[in-house]
Amino acid sequence: MASIHLTPEGKLLYNKNIVTTDPLTYLGYALRLDPAVTLRSFFALMEAYPDLLRLNPFQKVFQAQYRQCPATGCTLDAIDHLALARTVEMTGYPGPPGMQLYISLEGHKEKKRCPIKSYWLENLLDLPLQLGRLNHRVFGDKVDTFTFDTVFNLFEFIDGICWQLSFHNLPAECRVVL
């Protein structure tokens, strides 16, 4: 599978060359992240390649929120890093069988997952961002979750982060100050 590389500055590299035109061509390519990539790198990606803003109707709102955040220091002690995770969950016993497939962005602290919905963008931007693993659950059993290596393409990366950010868009009046 062809791959694309994301730099901390939000640039895409294909065959070690900076992508200068048509980033939509690379949406299906496997994504690799530089070890120094943060959530801020995701927003820099959107700034560098405005065509990618069309992939999610809320991304322009997220970009506006990003531009209002401080230029540095957007971290918190409760989370060591962020990771994109893929989940495959078999459902239906008892009942009709089904399968749920989804991607989520989650926080990690000392090898434990922690939700990030209660944190605001200005708390998350400078946290390291990684590509996580696939979690396989059978019939909702979170105790017997199997984990596997997986690949994320550029579209899944963008869509997964946008999905998570859609839960962070409460009015300022509802914020709990940390």
Side-chain angles (χ1 to χ4, degrees):
M1 175 180 236
S3 64
I4 192 91
H5 184 92
L6 178 62
T7 70
E9 300 77 29
K11 298 293 184 185
L12 293 173
L13 301 178
Y14 178 67
N15 289 334
K16 299 183 182 179
N17 296 310
I18 294 177
V19 172
T20 57
T21 59
D22 200 15
L24 300 177
T25 301
Y26 303 96
L27 289 176
Y29 285 42
L31 181 66
R32 294 174 192 231
L33 302 181
D34 185 281
V37 163
T38 64
L39 187 58
R40 188 178 299 277
S41 304
F42 167 78
F43 286 97
L45 170 71
M46 295 296 156
E47 296 279 330
Y49 303 98
D51 283 345
L52 297 176
L53 293 170
R54 298 183 308 169
L55 298 176
N56 185 287
F58 303 110
Q59 188 57 41
K60 288 182 182 178
V61 173
F62 302 149
Q63 287 300 119
Q65 290 174 351
Y66 158 72
R67 288 184 199 111
Q68 294 176 0
C69 290
T72 60
C74 296
T75 62
L76 64 155
D77 292 334
I79 298 175
D80 294 328
H81 71 276
L82 301 171
L84 208 60
R86 182 186 311 277
T87 301
V88 175
E89 187 168 355
M90 295 174 60
T91 61
Y93 183 79
M99 186 171 288
Q100 303 269 334
L101 304 166
Y102 54 92
I103 294 174
S104 58
L105 183 65
E106 50 195 28
H108 288 261
K109 178 72 173 178
E110 298 171 1
K111 297 188 180 186
K112 292 186 180 180
R113 286 184 264 172
C114 48
I116 62 172
K117 282 196 304 190
S118 60
Y119 301 113
W120 301 96
L121 195 54
E122 60 264 21
N123 303 122
L124 304 171
L125 278 177
D126 294 320
L127 291 171
L129 179 58
Q130 301 172 5
L131 298 176
R133 301 187 78 196
L134 180 141
N135 301 303
H136 182 260
R137 292 188 192 131
V138 180
F139 305 124
D141 184 1
K142 293 183 181 182
V143 174
D144 289 328
T145 298
F146 304 99
T147 59
F148 303 92
D149 289 335
T150 191
V151 174
F152 293 91
N153 65 36
L154 179 59
F155 176 78
E156 292 169 326
F157 175 76
I158 293 168
D159 192 56
I161 291 175
C162 289
W163 171 256
Q164 183 66 48
L165 292 178
S166 69
F167 295 103
H168 294 251
N169 199 15
L170 294 173
E173 295 79 21
C174 297
R175 292 184 178 203
V176 175
V177 179
L178 300 174

